Amino acid sequence: AQSVTQLDSQVPVFEEAPVELRCNYSSSVSVYLFWYVQYPNQGLQLLLKYLSGSTLVESINGFEAEFNKSQTSFHLRKPSVHISDTAEYFCAVSELIQGAQKLVFGQGTRLTINP
Amino acid sequence: GAGVSQSPRYKVAKRGQDVALRCDPISGHVSLFWYQQALGQGPEFLTYFQNEAQLDKSGLPSDRFFAERPEGSVSTLKIQRTQQEDSAVYLCASSSWTAGGGGYTFGSGTRLTVV
């Protein structure tokens, strides 16, 4: 079974500073990888995904993640954060079950932006 | 509808009470997942439907949990004789058949508190 480890439960940063949220997964076979964001009292929203091709994927709001197969990592980065980025971020890996891709989530990283 | 709708948004149940949580997926979506998210944790897989067929229920924590999707659209997660450890946010997600690794659309969840 797949597993996902998010190494930091909380990451506090100052506004406009860079940030990296770390994610490692267990599988050595081909996988799909995802980052989801959860704002307070809201559901999960897909931030970005890696399916195949270029190992660097980007979101529309300035986040990017790089798939590193040798290190089984999919770290999320942003060069300059904004107050509105305050949220919980979940890394997930897919696991094929019965013809569908089940998502296995990490424990989450709470990103807090300080002014 | 435009998104995945879950109701009620909040539910307080006395210990021992039965509850029913509803998920209305995006119209036409074949795959439907239920996840349980305990406070401060990542979502944990409960069960998966493909149309009306429940193909995987390996994540259901006990036989008090029961899910159904009788007409392949709306799904209901039922918890009998609720216990305090059932307190969590219950998330529903749906996807079209060909989504593969394309990610899923999540509802806002139902926050269940057992007192």
Side-chain angles (χ1 to χ4, degrees), chain A residues 45-65:
Chain A
Q45 299 175 33
L46 179 64
L47 188 60
L48 46 74
K49 62 188 177 188
Y50 170 78
L51 305 182
S52 64
S54 173
T55 57
L56 185 66
V57 290
E58 299 176 349
S59 73
I60 59 173
N61 57 353
F63 282 94
E64 63 179 32

Side-chain angles (χ1 to χ4, degrees), chain A residues 3-105:
Chain A
S3 67
V4 175
T5 301
Q6 292 184 244
L7 297 164
D8 306 295
S9 59
Q10 295 187 62
V11 173
V13 295
F14 288 106
E15 193 172 15
E16 298 183 4
V19 69
E20 178 180 79
L21 307 184
R22 296 180 291 171
C23 172
N24 288 87
Y25 62 95
S26 63
S27 176
S28 60
V29 299
S30 296
V31 294
Y32 300 148
L33 293 157
F34 306 84
W35 276 98
Y36 280 84
V37 59
Q38 187 174 38
Y39 298 103
N41 298 315
Q42 295 187 28
L44 294 164
Q45 299 175 33
L46 179 64
L47 188 60
L48 46 74
K49 62 188 177 188
Y50 170 78
L51 305 182
S52 64
S54 173
T55 57
L56 185 66
V57 290
E58 299 176 349
S59 73
I60 59 173
N61 57 353
F63 282 94
E64 63 179 32
E66 185 161 20
F67 168 58
N68 188 318
K69 187 174 182 179
S70 62
Q71 297 186 6
T72 59
S73 68
F74 191 55
H75 301 331
L76 182 69
R77 302 183 183 96
K78 188 170 185 179
S80 176
V81 295
H82 189 266
I83 290 284
S84 60
D85 293 325
T86 297
E88 188 95 21
Y89 291 80
F90 293 95
C91 181
V93 64
S94 63
E95 183 174 273
L96 185 62
I97 58 162
Q98 301 284 352
Q101 297 286 350
K102 179 181 84 173
L103 294 176
V104 177
F105 289 89

